[in-house]
Protein backbone atom coordinates (compact mmCIF):
# COMPACT_ATOMS: atom_id res chain seq x y z
CA UNK A 1 0.00 0.00 0.00
CA UNK A 2 1.51 3.36 -1.00
CA UNK A 3 2.27 5.88 1.72
CA UNK A 4 -0.31 8.66 2.12
CA UNK A 5 0.63 12.16 3.28
CA UNK A 6 -1.38 15.33 3.83
CA UNK A 7 -0.40 16.52 0.36
CA UNK A 8 -1.67 13.36 -1.37
CA UNK A 9 -4.45 14.13 -3.83
CA UNK A 10 -7.78 12.65 -2.72
CA UNK A 11 -8.26 10.82 -6.01
CA UNK A 12 -5.39 8.51 -5.01
CA UNK A 13 -7.05 7.44 -1.74
CA UNK A 14 -8.41 3.91 -1.65
CA UNK A 15 -12.08 3.94 -2.68
CA UNK A 16 -12.00 7.45 -4.12
CA UNK A 17 -10.72 7.48 -7.70
CA UNK A 18 -10.74 10.18 -10.39
CA UNK A 19 -14.53 10.57 -10.64
CA UNK A 20 -15.04 11.19 -6.93
CA UNK A 21 -11.91 13.33 -6.95
CA UNK A 22 -13.58 15.60 -9.51
CA UNK A 23 -16.70 15.88 -7.34
CA UNK A 24 -14.58 16.77 -4.31
CA UNK A 25 -12.77 19.47 -6.32
CA UNK A 26 -16.13 21.25 -6.62
CA UNK A 27 -15.99 21.56 -2.81
CA UNK A 28 -12.36 22.79 -3.01
CA UNK A 29 -11.15 19.48 -1.60
CA UNK A 30 -8.05 18.44 -3.50
CA UNK A 31 -5.72 16.91 -0.91
CA UNK A 32 -5.97 14.76 2.22
CA UNK A 33 -5.36 17.91 4.28
CA UNK A 34 -8.27 19.68 2.54
CA UNK A 35 -10.46 16.68 3.32
CA UNK A 36 -9.49 16.69 7.01
CA UNK A 37 -10.24 20.42 7.30
CA UNK A 38 -13.63 20.13 5.59
CA UNK A 39 -15.69 20.46 8.77
CA UNK A 40 -19.49 20.22 9.00
CA UNK A 41 -21.25 23.57 8.93
CA UNK A 42 -23.92 22.41 11.40
CA UNK A 43 -24.08 19.89 14.19
CA UNK A 44 -27.59 18.56 14.67
CA UNK A 45 -28.71 16.94 17.92
CA UNK A 46 -31.44 14.37 17.26
CA UNK A 47 -31.47 12.99 20.82
CA UNK A 48 -34.49 15.04 22.02
CA UNK A 49 -37.61 13.27 20.74
CA UNK A 50 -40.87 15.22 20.51
CA UNK A 51 -44.40 13.91 20.21
CA UNK A 52 -46.28 14.87 17.04
CA UNK A 53 -48.64 17.16 19.00
CA UNK A 54 -45.66 19.26 20.21
CA UNK A 55 -44.26 19.97 16.72
CA UNK A 56 -44.06 23.58 15.57
CA UNK A 57 -43.93 24.96 12.03
CA UNK A 58 -40.49 25.93 10.67
CA UNK A 59 -38.70 24.13 13.51
CA UNK A 60 -36.42 21.15 12.96
CA UNK A 61 -37.48 18.36 15.33
CA UNK A 62 -37.11 14.65 15.91
CA UNK A 63 -40.38 12.79 16.24
CA UNK A 64 -41.30 9.18 16.93
CA UNK A 65 -44.61 7.70 15.93
CA UNK A 66 -46.42 5.09 13.89
CA UNK A 67 -46.52 5.74 10.14
CA UNK A 68 -50.11 5.56 8.90
CA UNK A 69 -49.67 6.70 5.30
CA UNK A 70 -46.94 7.73 2.86
CA UNK A 71 -47.42 9.77 -0.29
CA UNK A 72 -44.62 10.46 -2.78
CA UNK A 73 -44.70 12.93 -5.67
CA UNK A 74 -42.10 13.17 -8.44
CA UNK A 75 -40.67 16.68 -8.89
CA UNK A 76 -38.46 18.20 -11.57
CA UNK A 77 -34.81 17.17 -11.94
CA UNK A 78 -35.42 13.65 -10.57
CA UNK A 79 -36.33 14.82 -7.07
CA UNK A 80 -39.11 13.32 -4.96
CA UNK A 81 -41.30 15.02 -2.35
CA UNK A 82 -42.44 12.58 0.31
CA UNK A 83 -45.21 13.26 2.85
CA UNK A 84 -45.68 10.96 5.85
CA UNK A 85 -48.77 10.81 8.07
CA UNK A 86 -47.83 9.87 11.64
Amino acid sequence: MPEVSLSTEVQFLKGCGPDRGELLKKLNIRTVEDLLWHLPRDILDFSHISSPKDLQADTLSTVRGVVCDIDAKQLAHGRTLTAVLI
Side-chain angles (χ1 to χ4, degrees):
M1 179 174 203
E3 189 171 315
V4 175
S5 70
L6 292 176
S7 60
T8 301
E9 292 185 30
V10 290
Q11 73 176 15
F12 298 115
L13 294 175
K14 183 178 180 177
C16 188
D19 292 338
R20 180 143 312 144
E22 286 299 316
L23 291 173
L24 290 170
K25 279 184 184 177
K26 292 179 181 181
L27 297 172
N28 291 323
I29 300 172
R30 291 174 172 75
T31 65
V32 171
E33 183 176 17
D34 294 338
L35 185 61
L36 291 172
W37 281 106
H38 186 75
L39 303 173
R41 67 170 191 220
D42 294 323
I43 297 174
L44 303 175
D45 178 11
F46 294 110
S47 63
H48 177 73
I49 299 174
S50 303
S51 67
K53 66 179 180 168
D54 296 329
L55 295 178
Q56 297 177 0
D58 298 323
T59 303
L60 184 63
S61 301
T62 303
V63 65
R64 181 180 293 159
V66 177
V67 176
C68 299
D69 191 22
I70 299 175
D71 187 24
K73 181 179 180 180
Q74 294 296 321
L75 302 176
H77 307 293
R79 297 181 301 166
T80 304
L81 176 66
T82 303
V84 179
L85 177 64
I86 298 177

